[in-house]
Amino acid sequence: MDVELFSSAFCGPCRSARAVLTEAVRLVPRARLTEVDVVEDPAPGEAAGVTSTPTVLVRADDGTEVFRSTGAPSLAQALAALARAAPPPEAGEAP
C-alpha cells in the first residue's frame, strides 16, 4: 500500500501531515510513504488532481485510491485509511 504526500516547501500544514504519516508508516510497516513537492515537480500532482497542499492519497496494492485528504490528516484517519488499503486476510489467517 502506498501513501503519497503532495506538499510544498512553504506549506506549514505539510509539516504536520509529514509527521502524522511518518508515524502511521512506522506503525504499519507494509505501507510506503512517498512525498512529492508539487512546486519542484508539478506533474505527479497534476496527474492526481491535486489542487492544494498538503494532499494525502492512500492507495491499495492494486493502485486503487482508498483515501484522499486535503489538509493534514489525524493519526487515526491515516491508520483507518491504511486499514482500508490492506488486502483482506487469507482464509485461515488472523485478521
Side-chain angles (χ1 to χ4, degrees), residues 5-84:
L5 170 59
F6 294 90
S7 65
S8 54
F10 55 84
C11 167
C14 293
R15 288 188 289 274
S16 297
R18 185 178 305 110
V20 165
L21 297 174
T22 298
E23 179 64 7
V25 168
R26 186 186 72 76
L27 294 169
V28 182
R30 279 193 73 245
R32 296 171 302 277
L33 175 60
T34 303
E35 185 170 355
V36 177
D37 184 320
V38 296
V39 174
E40 295 288 322
D41 188 9
E46 290 170 3
V50 172
T51 59
S52 63
T53 60
T55 295
V56 176
L57 302 180
V58 176
R59 298 181 191 272
D61 289 339
D62 66 1
T64 304
E65 184 180 311
V66 298
F67 177 81
R68 181 181 287 250
S69 171
T70 302
S74 68
L75 182 57
Q77 288 172 318
L79 291 173
L82 290 173
R84 283 196 301 272

